[in-house]
Amino acid sequence: MKAKLYIIISLLLTASLLPQQALADGVSANYAAQEDSLVKRFNQYVEVDDKDNVIACLDQLIKLREHAKRYELLAEAVAFRIAYFYGHDMNDSVYQYVPEDMKLLSAHGQWNAYYNIWALLANTYLYAGKPNQALRVAQDMFQDAKNRNHQLGMGTAYYTLGSVYTILNVLDESVNNYQKGMEIMSNIHPYPTLLADLYPYYSDVLNLKKDYAALDELTKQWQKFLPEYIKENQPTKESVQLLYATYYIACSQAAMGLDRLPEADEMMAKAKENISDETDYTGMSWLLNMGKLRYQEGRYQEALAYNNRRLNMPDAESDASSYLDVIKQRAEILMKLGRFEEAAQYFEKVYVINDSINVQDTKSQLNEMNTLFQVDELKMAKEREQFRLMMIIVGVIVLALVIFIVFRIRSARRLKKAHDQLQQTHEELLTAYDQLEETTTAKERIESDLRIARDIQQSMIPQKFPPFPERTDIDLYASMTPAKAVGGDLYDFILLDEKLYFCLGDVSGKGVPASLFMAVARNLFRVVSQQGLPPAEIAEKLNNALSEDNESGMFVTMFIGVIDLPTGHLDFCNAGHNPPVIKMPDGTTHFIDMQPNAPLGLWPGLPYDGESIDDISGQPFFVYSDGLNEAEDDQQEQYGDDLLLEMLEKHPFNSSQETVEMMKADVARHANGAEQSDDLTMLCVKVKGHLTN
């Protein structure tokens, strides 16, 4: 909802320009009279939201301006028409009109509007539940803008890619694309309207990542930007208020995350000054954040009052994700107030909503797996034994799911009975919870089945290192620690002649569906890499196989590398994965720069860019999944990239195994007993290369 609101505002802000464009010298009086009449009627129809007549006026205005060769005004009307379709959820009209409108705009060199409506097409797919199609459209838009060297087009494409990756929950790629879009559009004057929208998007992602230090830095840049943007673009008063309201809310989120509560309070007060209606999205966001702030301050009654106002909105339950945040906040507040029975009721609602979402996700992911197993074109003869093991996993999983469903039904019934008996005291609530102990036997049975699945999965990846006892020029070690009984991370390697092929990947999601996807991806890597292809071609083949008939959006990020052992030359392809770390001869460490590629499995036919490093001889090369840098402690503070680099730099390299085990131990130290939230996988390799000669 928020993302769509920003785009509508950014594009409809230009609507006020339609009746105010000054006519150039030489335009006929007849043309001026016709345009004036159309614009007046257009404004009347917009005022009463008469959709059919609004569109009819725009159609006539576009034909009139094209005939009069008023191409800039033509582009404005075309962009407004698509924005109008988009803002009124007329998706079929967007799909129908955009291709022809793009041809019209390109014929007259109106590139800003051309990329504007292209971005709207991508966002229409995105919010219609088609993120794969949206990602393809955004990638095509970026390549087109790059070929033309059109800066605003590239900035708009990065902005759109960031939105798509946010919906796909690939937050690192989202941050990467938003940052690139911001860098490009910050050098365009007057500032594009989309740049004003990019700041709230970017702040939302940093808040989701709990990267409050980065969010704090962004607000400082934002503070300098707003006056300059307003001076250059002169938006309406309402638009200025919206810009500042979202800015102050972001400042408050950063301050809360950094435990600067008085500052957060001040920022929320300033945000309120710019909000006229609590029922719009910005107003509801303000209420939720005020509840969070008062809770953090220990002022629980006030926190509950803000939560009441947010919960009592007419459409409070229309957005399941936002509603979940509201009732979860309410349950936590009620617990602090000692109102345990009410808290238990809201926690049960959280449980039911989460459970329904997870069930739907699991069903779609398991359905998707049925298509992924059909990979005959890759000649899986050498992998039949692994396929048999995967079938065993499926059988174990089905049994575990049956037991789990029975357990959940029985537990839900007992929990409802316990809730009916709850009284107002904490002791009685604890007594009700004690009744859940009789479910221990069922839980142990599930855990036993999942342990079997875990053992099978672990047997499918290399476990003992070094695997090349007859060689002295390779030092390789890897480790995978699933967050659940089975995980979605993977790594593998093979040695062909004098080349080492290796990969490390992270499947979207966790648990059983991710583990199945992981098994298929790993098997595909082993088959394809044995063909001796470069990493980019391996990525393309894996992507084509994994994305066939893949409409539910499951994917895997992966780093694929090939090292020529005699020379130390590294060829690699990064498919949406975290940047690896290399330790230089002087002992310093840094992340390697990489070309952004899409994750594997989102759609077929996508080209992947390969890159290389001339020589990594004697330089430890460290690849990892985001279960490392995003590992959280009991205060929800992440391990972070800075600490990752610091640990690898200050510890002398003795062996790859020692490096991996050291990092695993430090992540455990940082977690301080907190439950592992994501799979943790690491691979370290060092080759001697020409240094042995």
Side-chain angles (χ1 to χ4, degrees):
M1 177 179 177
K2 182 173 184 180
K4 195 158 189 177
L5 176 68
Y6 284 142
I7 295 171
I8 293 169
I9 290 172
S10 70
L11 294 172
L12 297 189
L13 280 176
T14 62
S16 61
L17 299 178
L18 280 167
Q20 296 175 3
Q21 294 286 348
L23 295 179
D25 293 339
V27 174
S28 69
N30 181 48
Y31 167 83
Q34 290 184 64
E35 179 172 83
D36 184 61
S37 175
L38 279 172
V39 167
K40 286 180 179 178
R41 284 191 286 136
F42 166 82
N43 287 329
Q44 293 171 356
Y45 295 137
V46 167
E47 187 70 24
V48 297
D49 200 19
D50 184 343
K51 296 182 180 64
D52 291 339
N53 279 315
V54 166
I55 296 168
C57 279
L58 286 169
D59 290 343
Q60 296 174 51
L61 196 59
I62 289 168
K63 292 179 181 178
L64 178 66
R65 288 176 172 178
E66 184 180 21
H67 181 73
K69 299 182 180 180
R70 306 280 289 167
Y71 298 133
E72 290 186 6
L73 296 179
L74 163 72
E76 178 185 279
V78 168
F80 187 90
R81 181 171 62 183
I82 300 301
Y84 190 83
F85 292 149
Y86 179 85
H88 289 79
D89 291 319
M90 300 167 68
N91 294 350
D92 289 340
S93 295
V94 175
Y95 302 146
Q96 175 187 345
Y97 275 77
V98 166
E100 291 302 317
D101 284 350
M102 287 175 61
K103 291 179 182 177
L104 176 65
L105 293 171
S106 65
H108 299 303
Q110 299 300 310
W111 300 113
N112 288 356
Y114 173 84
Y115 290 111
N116 197 336
I117 67 172
W118 203 343
L120 276 177
L121 176 62
N123 279 281
T124 301
Y125 280 121
L126 182 62
Y127 298 109
K130 301 177 181 178
N132 298 341
Q133 187 68 18
L135 193 56
R136 170 176 281 180
V137 170
Q139 288 278 6
D140 290 344
M141 176 170 59
F142 174 79
Q143 192 59 51
D144 184 271
K146 184 179 179 182
N147 292 341
R148 300 182 197 278
N149 194 29
H150 193 278
Q151 296 300 302
L152 182 57
M154 287 190 289
T156 303
Y158 277 130
Y159 171 62
T160 307
L161 284 166
S163 301
V164 176
Y165 281 121
T166 300
I167 296 298
L168 291 172
N169 200 33
V170 189
L171 299 186
D172 287 334
E173 279 300 305
S174 179
V175 167
N176 182 41
N177 282 280
Y178 281 151
Q179 182 62 40
K180 289 180 178 178
M182 182 173 289
E183 290 171 359
I184 290 176
M185 288 192 282
S186 294
N187 291 315
I188 300 174
H189 292 278
Y191 288 126
T193 303
L194 286 178
L195 182 56
D197 292 339
L198 195 152
Y199 277 96
Y201 272 132
Y202 199 174
S203 68
D204 284 346
V205 174
L206 293 175
N207 191 46
L208 282 173
K209 285 173 61 66
K210 300 179 183 177
D211 193 348
Y212 301 116
L215 179 56
D216 193 43
E217 287 300 314
L218 179 65
T219 59
K220 294 175 183 177
Q221 183 178 346
W222 200 347
Q223 183 182 29
K224 296 178 182 178
F225 162 77
L226 281 173
E228 297 175 6
Y229 171 79
I230 293 169
K231 181 179 179 181
E232 287 186 355
N233 291 272
Q234 298 184 347
T236 64
K237 178 182 177 181
E238 292 76 12
S239 299
V240 172
Q241 289 178 325
L242 174 63
L243 291 171
Y244 273 104
T246 54
Y247 160 70
Y248 286 127
I249 290 174
C251 290
S252 176
Q253 290 171 335
M256 281 190 279
L258 298 171
D259 203 28
R260 305 197 306 247
L261 300 187
E263 178 185 338
D265 211 336
E266 179 184 354
M267 293 297 102
M268 290 301 286
K270 291 183 177 181
K272 178 59 176 174
E273 293 173 2
N274 289 278
I275 296 173
S276 58
D277 185 0
E278 288 185 357
T279 64
D280 65 19
Y281 184 86
T282 308
M284 291 189 289
S285 176
W286 182 83
L287 288 173
L288 188 66
N289 280 279
M290 279 302 300
K292 179 181 178 181
L293 175 58
R294 292 294 180 253
Y295 179 89
Q296 209 166 325
E297 291 172 333
R299 297 158 64 176
Y300 303 121
Q301 287 290 358
E302 294 179 50
L304 185 61
Y306 284 111
N307 183 270
N308 282 336
R309 285 157 63 180
R310 174 64 182 88
L311 192 63
N312 291 331
M313 294 295 177
D315 59 346
E317 299 185 33
S318 61
D319 185 341
S321 178
S322 298
Y323 182 63
L324 189 63
D325 291 337
V326 175
I327 61 174
K328 183 177 179 182
Q329 181 187 80
R330 188 175 189 82
E332 292 170 349
I333 295 170
L334 291 170
M335 284 293 292
K336 291 293 185 180
L337 291 172
R339 295 161 61 175
F340 302 113
E341 182 176 0
E342 294 175 75
Q345 293 171 354
Y346 279 100
F347 275 126
E348 185 177 10
K349 286 185 178 181
V350 172
Y351 163 81
V352 170
I353 294 174
N354 265 325
D355 189 54
S356 65
I357 294 173
N358 290 335
V359 167
Q360 292 301 319
D361 287 345
T362 300
K363 284 181 178 178
S364 63
Q365 290 168 350
L366 288 175
N367 288 336
E368 180 182 6
M369 292 307 300
N370 292 331
T371 64
L372 294 175
F373 285 132
Q374 298 174 6
V375 289
D376 293 341
E377 70 279 9
L378 291 178
K379 299 179 181 179
M380 297 294 290
K382 294 182 180 180
E383 301 300 322
R384 286 174 182 168
E385 182 61 22
Q386 285 82 355
F387 186 81
R388 184 184 66 82
L389 293 176
M390 282 190 290
M391 292 301 98
I392 294 174
I393 292 177
V394 172
V396 171
I397 290 166
V398 170
L399 177 60
L401 286 175
V402 171
I403 297 172
F404 184 73
I405 292 170
V406 172
F407 160 69
R408 293 292 284 272
I409 294 173
R410 293 177 61 192
S411 296
R413 290 173 178 171
R414 293 191 180 96
L415 185 59
K416 184 177 185 305
K417 181 179 179 180
H419 287 165
D420 294 337
Q421 297 172 350
L422 281 172
Q423 301 300 320
Q424 295 293 322
T425 67
H426 191 191
E427 291 76 18
E428 290 173 339
L429 181 62
L430 292 176
T431 300
Y433 286 157
D434 289 341
Q435 296 177 10
L436 296 176
E437 290 182 355
E438 61 191 80
T439 63
T440 301
T441 301
K443 287 183 178 180
E444 289 176 350
R445 188 178 303 118
I446 294 171
E447 291 169 357
S448 174
D449 290 336
L450 289 176
R451 277 196 297 272
I452 295 172
R454 177 191 177 111
D455 291 342
I456 294 172
Q457 182 189 33
Q458 290 291 320
S459 70
M460 298 179 68
I461 60 174
Q463 294 293 323
K464 296 181 180 180
F465 292 85
F468 314 112
E470 73 279 7
R471 304 186 70 110
T472 60
D473 54 350
I474 304 173
D475 182 359
L476 174 65
Y477 188 81
S479 168
M480 183 183 75
T481 307
K484 295 185 178 181
V486 289
D489 281 6
L490 67 126
Y491 66 85
D492 203 356
F493 62 90
I494 64 171
L495 185 65
L496 295 179
D497 299 325
E498 293 297 304
K499 291 188 177 182
L500 174 68
Y501 289 72
F502 66 96
C503 72
L504 190 145
D506 183 359
V507 176
S508 59
K510 294 181 286 292
V512 169
S515 71
L516 293 175
F517 201 98
M518 162 270 187
V520 173
R522 179 261 177 183
N523 288 340
L524 288 171
F525 171 78
R526 291 195 69 81
V527 171
V528 175
S529 59
Q530 288 173 2
Q531 301 174 20
L533 301 174
E537 291 187 30
I538 294 174
E540 290 177 6
K541 287 183 176 292
L542 265 63
N543 177 65
N544 289 338
L546 292 172
S547 59
E548 184 178 358
D549 299 324
N550 179 8
E551 290 298 326
S552 56
M554 201 168 187
F555 59 88
V556 56
T557 66
M558 186 179 290
F559 181 89
I560 303 171
V562 179
I563 303 175
D564 184 77
L565 299 177
T567 66
H569 182 85
L570 170 66
D571 289 303
F572 66 88
C573 178
N574 181 59
H577 200 71
N578 302 59
V581 178
I582 189 168
K583 189 164 188 177
M584 307 301 291
D586 62 1
T588 59
T589 59
H590 67 84
F591 296 107
I592 66 171
D593 294 327
M594 299 184 299
Q595 186 77 15
N597 289 300
L600 306 175
L602 290 174
W603 71 87
L606 179 70
Y608 282 78
D609 293 329
E611 301 174 80
S612 65
I613 299 176
D614 289 340
D615 189 3
I616 64 168
S617 299
Q619 302 172 56
F621 194 78
F622 186 78
V623 195
Y624 58 95
S625 66
D626 57 14
L628 194 163
N629 58 327
E630 294 182 5
E632 295 182 346
D633 61 12
D634 52 357
Q635 300 299 315
Q636 296 185 316
E637 292 293 330
Q638 294 187 347
Y639 191 83
D641 293 339
D642 292 340
L643 183 55
L644 167 59
L645 290 177
E646 178 186 341
M647 292 299 295
L648 290 174
E649 186 168 307
K650 76 178 184 179
H651 283 269
F653 180 86
N654 294 318
S655 71
S656 293
Q657 180 173 356
E658 180 182 295
T659 298
V660 171
E661 296 297 343
M662 177 272 294
M663 290 302 300
K664 187 189 297 186
D666 199 59
V667 169
R669 173 202 59 76
H670 173 80
N672 194 28
E675 182 180 356
Q676 182 180 342
S677 60
D678 200 358
D679 303 333
L680 172 61
T681 305
M682 296 172 282
L683 181 149
C684 184
V685 60
K686 178 181 177 184
V687 299
K688 294 184 179 179
H690 61 81
L691 298 178
T692 59
N693 297 329

